[in-house]
Amino acid sequence: MAAEGTEELGNTEQLTNPSELYEPEVADLPGTDAKESAERGADGGDTGFTAGGEEEEEGDMPADFQRLWKLTSDNPQDFNSWTDLLQYCEQEGHMRACRQALNAFLLRYPLCYGYWKKFADLERRAGHINKAEEVCERGLKAIPLSVDLWIHYINLLLGTLNMNLPESTQRIRSVFEEAVAAAGWDFHSDRLWDLYAEWEKEQGNLNFMTGVYDRVLRVPTQLYNTHYEKLKAHLTSHQPRDVLSPEEYSKVRNEYKQSQIQAKKERSDISAEEEEERPPGEEEPADNGKDSEEAVQKMRELLMVSLEELYQQNEAEVRKRWNFEESIKRPYFHVKPLDRAQLKAWQSYLDWEIAEAENAAVDAEGAAVEGNEGSKQKCITGHNRVLILFERCLIACALYEEFWNKYVHYLAPHGLEEVRNVYRRACEIHLPYKHSIHLQWASFEEKHGNITEAQRILESLEMTVPGLAAVCLRTVGLERRAGRLDVAEALLKETVEKSKDNPQLHAFYSIKLARFLHKLCKSPSRARTVLQEAIELSPDNGRLYHNLLELEMSGDPRANGGEILQCVAKALAAPLSPKTKILFSQRGLQFAEDFGTTVQSVVSMYEEHQKLLKEHDGKRQAENGSNDDTEKMSKMDDASALTVPQTAPPTMPHVPITTPPPSMMGGDMSGSYGSYGSWYQQQQYGGYGSYQNPWSQYNQYYPPS
């Protein structure tokens, strides 16, 4: 038997794996971080795979081990640091160092099948057969789609088990069945099927060998034609009695007899009465245990007919997928990014396979009324093919969040636990630093009532990627929705205190806390205190003044009028930009007009606003004038050639209002102030008429109530 289960390729072109170190993954792995492993193994102790009663070798670690180990611990995302450490341990041949490094590495990068294989070989060469088997089993739990690792495990068992014992044969066959159940539907699983068939042939079980090839001919694989030719040669080189199971042989033999009877009836017109002339109780002559040459030939022809039909069906499925498979150039895992063409190829393949499964499901619903079980089986097969393709995709695209989200979306109608397992694998193994998918997982758990798990997810993410505002606010929202307002308030207060070193972030959290206290705790005084303290730390932050003004204006304007005007005055005195001050001045003028108790307050605010406009216009004209002098002179020279000078500008010039309203002394004020309400809508203030737009940016910090 070939050591690695090699096979001849026939006339079918094979997609080769360009890497010897990587291979697919399907199942879950314990959610242990590599840094955790580093902490467990920092003293140089073994991190796993200890066999009962065996002593671990003692002694100091190699000279450069601690230095290389520290590099991986400080930056576990640096793949090159890991490979340097593993290469060094392998060169030194230090067993304990190799175990510690490989355990930590494979916790973080479980898709690298080649290192599982190296680990198992390391234990086998050291004489630890049980440990070698445990390594293979752990790797296959992490990567059940890895055909290479299954073959490596089987060859390890074949080389260590006593095959003269019946239980050894049974164990090998059991492992083969596990292998084809896990990886047999992979498009590149041909070597595994061939190894299984050849092993059954070596055991003398020709009918079992037939069963293996019959099963693989129902699976679209790359070398489907090779399996077909091998099965044809197998069936034609042995007696049907030897290569078929008793049930199949009996079925084929009965078909042969029926065909013979029908042929005799057609040739000699034998009547049914003549067939019944045999005395009652007398059966047909017993067989002598051997089929005639004619019977064997006819039974083989019957087998070939059914085999050809099966082959044609499988070939049709392969042809549907061939172009998709050809477009996939890197089906293995690597930390290097995939190009756009590869990502698009996986997306297209998945969309097509999902559409096929959905069509099969629709057909199954229609056939269920008629009691057609075949359509139901096609629906199940279509779903399984989608799952296998997703698992293959999430080997090559394990570091791409969009494919995990696509998998979750597909599995959502099929069961909560399946979705949960996908989230767990994505967040705890492959995407520990991608906060968005963690937040989606937390929302999923909260949606289905698992509040404790949602809290754990958010806490774990905060430890992994500390300081993310989205994580903090999601945690606060989770506690608020759970009715624990005191916990949510405490979290916000703690965050505000921790962010004092970052004024901008401190202002952001202070606004959130103030809004929480005002809207949910019904405590505007506490909210006011929070904003005022934040303003002391960040006096140049316009958002804080804006939120303080909104807080004051949300109350009774007759009672809060003084506080509102005081807030406006404080903003105008702060080191804010002129445009921001103009906006606050407009808000103050609007309030004085709408709710002011004396007209003096209106006039005072109006005059202050005019003063700000003049200052802003003067600065703007000074800045523009110095930059445009040269350009204006050039234009004047060009215009001197014109015979008729241009006397009017194409647009209305800016004419600021400089005359205040008339005195209050005597007379009716209604006529004087009749058009005052629209002062801010005149054309000359078009630049400020849209003062509300700049504040729209606060929606992301301070959503409208």
Side-chain angles (χ1 to χ4, degrees):
M1 183 189 306
E4 292 293 333
T6 57
E7 63 191 354
E8 60 181 86
L9 302 181
N11 296 326
T12 308
E13 182 181 356
Q14 183 177 13
L15 296 176
T16 58
N17 187 335
S19 171
E20 293 295 327
L21 302 180
Y22 308 97
E23 182 63 14
E25 180 259 329
V26 164
D28 303 315
L29 200 66
T32 310
D33 198 354
K35 187 164 281 190
E36 240 179 78
S37 175
E39 293 171 357
R40 291 200 309 267
D43 58 351
D46 187 15
T47 56
F49 305 118
T50 56
E54 291 187 7
E55 294 284 339
E56 294 295 334
E57 65 177 50
E58 300 295 336
D60 296 335
M61 287 292 190
D64 285 343
F65 178 82
Q66 292 300 337
R67 178 183 63 82
L68 295 172
W69 177 263
K70 188 176 185 303
L71 292 176
T72 60
S73 301
D74 293 342
N75 187 13
Q77 290 182 284
D78 186 0
F79 191 82
N80 292 331
S81 296
W82 284 106
T83 55
D84 291 342
L85 173 64
L86 296 173
Q87 185 177 3
Y88 173 76
C89 293
E90 185 177 4
Q91 291 173 351
E92 293 295 322
H94 194 283
M95 192 67 182
R96 189 155 58 96
C98 289
R99 283 176 177 163
Q100 181 175 332
L102 283 167
N103 274 300
F105 171 79
L106 290 170
L107 282 173
R108 178 161 292 277
Y109 298 104
L111 302 184
C112 299
Y113 107 91
Y115 286 99
W116 291 108
K117 183 178 176 181
K118 285 186 177 182
F119 201 171
D121 289 341
L122 179 72
E123 297 290 2
R124 179 180 56 81
R125 288 194 297 268
H128 304 150
I129 303 302
N130 291 337
K131 288 187 178 183
E133 293 182 13
E134 290 174 8
V135 170
C136 287
E137 290 168 1
R138 181 187 171 194
L140 290 170
K141 182 180 179 182
I143 338 169
L145 269 183
S146 176
V147 172
D148 293 88
L149 193 54
W150 277 111
I151 292 175
H152 191 70
Y153 181 40
I154 292 169
N155 284 331
L156 174 67
L157 295 178
L158 290 174
T160 56
L161 294 178
N162 183 359
M163 298 308 297
N164 293 323
L165 299 177
E167 55 267 25
S168 297
T169 302
Q170 185 59 36
R171 182 180 179 188
I172 296 295
R173 183 174 289 113
S174 175
V175 172
F176 267 121
E177 285 297 321
E178 292 177 12
V180 296
W185 279 83
D186 192 308
F187 192 75
H188 303 284
S189 61
D190 305 280
R191 290 190 299 125
L192 179 61
W193 288 102
D194 272 343
L195 183 63
Y196 191 5
E198 291 298 324
W199 180 79
E200 292 290 6
K201 183 179 180 180
E202 288 182 359
Q203 306 306 309
N205 301 320
L206 298 182
N207 56 339
F208 284 15
M209 179 183 179
T210 305
V212 171
Y213 276 127
D214 181 73
R215 289 162 65 186
V216 72
L217 278 180
R218 303 172 191 273
V219 179
T221 64
Q222 185 181 25
L223 303 181
Y224 70 99
N225 189 61
T226 302
H227 304 313
Y228 171 67
E229 296 297 335
K230 287 184 176 180
L231 182 55
K232 281 177 59 178
H234 174 65
L235 293 176
T236 55
S237 58
H238 299 88
Q239 294 288 331
R241 183 189 298 272
D242 298 331
V243 296
L244 299 177
S245 65
E247 296 80 8
E248 291 173 336
Y249 174 72
S250 176
K251 180 181 177 181
V252 172
R253 199 161 188 268
N254 288 335
E255 290 180 3
Y256 161 70
K257 288 184 176 180
Q258 291 297 326
S259 64
Q260 291 297 101
I261 293 174
Q262 186 65 27
K264 288 181 179 179
K265 285 182 178 180
E266 293 176 356
R267 287 196 306 268
S268 56
D269 296 327
I270 300 177
S271 65
E273 290 78 7
E274 292 175 341
E275 290 293 323
E276 294 176 358
E277 287 181 356
R278 187 176 295 107
E282 182 178 343
E283 298 179 355
E284 294 183 5
D287 292 334
N288 58 3
K290 293 184 179 181
D291 296 316
S292 64
E293 289 294 330
E294 180 184 359
V296 170
Q297 185 62 29
K298 292 296 183 182
M299 282 190 285
R300 284 175 177 168
E301 291 177 359
L302 291 173
L303 290 174
M304 289 300 110
V305 171
S306 60
L307 180 62
E308 180 66 22
E309 181 181 357
L310 185 61
Y311 170 75
Q312 293 295 336
Q313 294 174 356
N314 194 34
E315 185 179 42
E317 295 297 327
V318 172
R319 289 187 182 278
K320 292 178 184 179
R321 294 163 176 81
W322 192 263
N323 289 335
F324 291 111
E325 294 289 345
E326 284 289 306
S327 63
I328 295 173
K329 306 302 181 184
R330 199 181 85 179
Y332 54 92
F333 170 80
H334 204 287
V335 295
K336 293 180 180 179
L338 284 164
D339 56 45
R340 289 178 177 269
Q342 288 293 284
L343 297 176
K344 185 177 180 181
W346 280 113
Q347 290 281 12
S348 300
Y349 199 176
L350 287 169
D351 291 340
W352 178 84
E353 197 72 75
I354 291 172
E356 287 286 298
E358 291 175 349
N359 293 335
V362 172
D363 294 341
E365 291 178 1
V369 181
E370 304 173 0
N372 189 342
E373 293 296 327
S375 297
K376 182 179 179 181
Q377 184 60 38
K378 286 183 179 179
C379 177
I380 297 173
T381 301
H383 175 64
N384 291 336
R385 285 174 177 169
V386 173
L387 296 182
I388 290 294
L389 186 59
F390 262 116
E391 296 296 347
R392 289 178 58 199
C393 171
L394 290 174
I395 297 161
C397 307
L399 304 181
Y400 291 86
E401 188 176 345
E402 60 266 30
F403 290 99
W404 292 100
N405 289 331
K406 193 180 187 75
Y407 199 9
V408 166
H409 180 74
Y410 174 77
L411 288 176
H414 296 86
L416 299 181
E417 197 58 36
E418 289 82 356
V419 174
R420 184 173 288 115
N421 288 336
V422 172
Y423 271 129
R424 183 176 295 113
R425 288 163 52 196
C427 296
E428 295 182 352
I429 301 176
H430 304 292
L431 303 173
Y433 299 98
K434 296 282 189 178
H435 70 277
S436 56
I437 194 169
H438 287 77
L439 296 179
Q440 293 175 31
W441 185 16
S443 298
F444 168 81
E445 297 294 353
E446 182 184 359
K447 177 182 177 181
H448 294 92
N450 198 349
I451 305 299
T452 304
E453 178 66 6
Q455 291 172 327
R456 185 199 68 79
I457 294 166
L458 294 174
E459 290 172 1
S460 176
L461 180 59
E462 175 62 26
M463 293 177 62
T464 305
V465 190
L468 289 180
V471 178
C472 172
L473 297 180
R474 182 63 63 85
T475 306
V476 171
L478 174 66
E479 298 295 344
R480 174 181 58 79
R481 289 187 290 271
R484 295 189 285 266
L485 294 182
D486 54 338
V487 178
E489 180 183 347
L491 286 172
L492 278 174
K493 286 183 176 179
E494 180 184 0
T495 307
V496 169
E497 287 297 319
K498 289 181 178 179
S499 61
K500 283 187 175 181
D501 294 337
N502 188 334
Q504 187 175 2
L505 194 61
H506 179 266
F508 172 78
Y509 286 125
S510 296
I511 292 171
K512 289 293 183 181
L513 176 58
R515 184 172 175 80
F516 181 89
L517 294 173
H518 181 209
K519 297 295 184 181
L520 297 179
C521 299
K522 305 301 180 184
S523 179
S525 60
R526 295 167 62 195
R528 183 183 299 110
T529 302
V530 170
L531 290 173
Q532 289 174 345
E533 291 177 354
I535 287 174
E536 292 179 3
L537 186 64
S538 305
D540 58 345
N541 193 314
R543 296 184 180 92
L544 293 171
Y545 294 97
H546 170 73
N547 281 272
L548 180 58
L549 181 60
E550 292 293 337
L551 171 65
E552 301 294 358
M553 296 184 73
S554 65
D556 186 354
R558 294 169 296 182
N560 293 353
E563 287 80 1
I564 293 172
L565 295 178
Q566 183 181 0
C567 179
V568 172
K570 191 173 183 179
L572 295 178
L576 303 176
S577 67
K579 287 186 177 181
T580 304
K581 288 186 178 183
I582 290 174
L583 296 177
F584 277 105
S585 177
Q586 286 177 328
R587 295 295 299 276
L589 183 56
Q590 281 184 309
F591 177 80
E593 181 186 1
D594 295 339
F595 304 106
T597 56
T598 64
V599 74
Q600 285 85 350
S601 63
V602 178
V603 174
S604 176
M605 290 299 301
Y606 177 80
E607 291 176 347
E608 183 66 27
H609 185 68
Q610 294 301 313
K611 182 180 178 181
L612 286 174
L613 289 177
K614 286 182 179 181
E615 291 177 358
H616 179 65
D617 289 343
K619 291 181 180 179
R620 186 172 60 180
Q621 291 174 3
E623 292 174 357
N624 294 339
S626 60
N627 295 331
D628 297 342
D629 285 345
T630 304
E631 183 178 353
K632 288 181 179 178
M633 292 296 295
S634 176
K635 289 184 178 179
M636 289 176 63
D637 293 340
D638 295 339
S640 62
L642 298 176
T643 58
V644 180
Q646 186 176 355
T647 58
T651 57
M652 183 69 69
H654 179 75
V655 183
I657 296 177
T658 57
T659 305
S663 172
M664 289 288 293
M665 296 178 61
D668 184 9
M669 299 299 297
S670 60
S672 302
Y673 284 89
S675 60
Y676 172 74
S678 60
W679 67 268
Y680 47 85
Q681 296 177 354
Q682 296 180 14
Q683 183 177 358
Q684 57 265 34
Y685 294 107
Y688 305 111
S690 58
Y691 69 91
Q692 293 176 339
N693 291 339
W695 293 107
S696 63
Q697 60 183 310
Y698 295 108
N699 291 338
Q700 56 180 314
Y701 301 105
Y702 195 66
S705 57

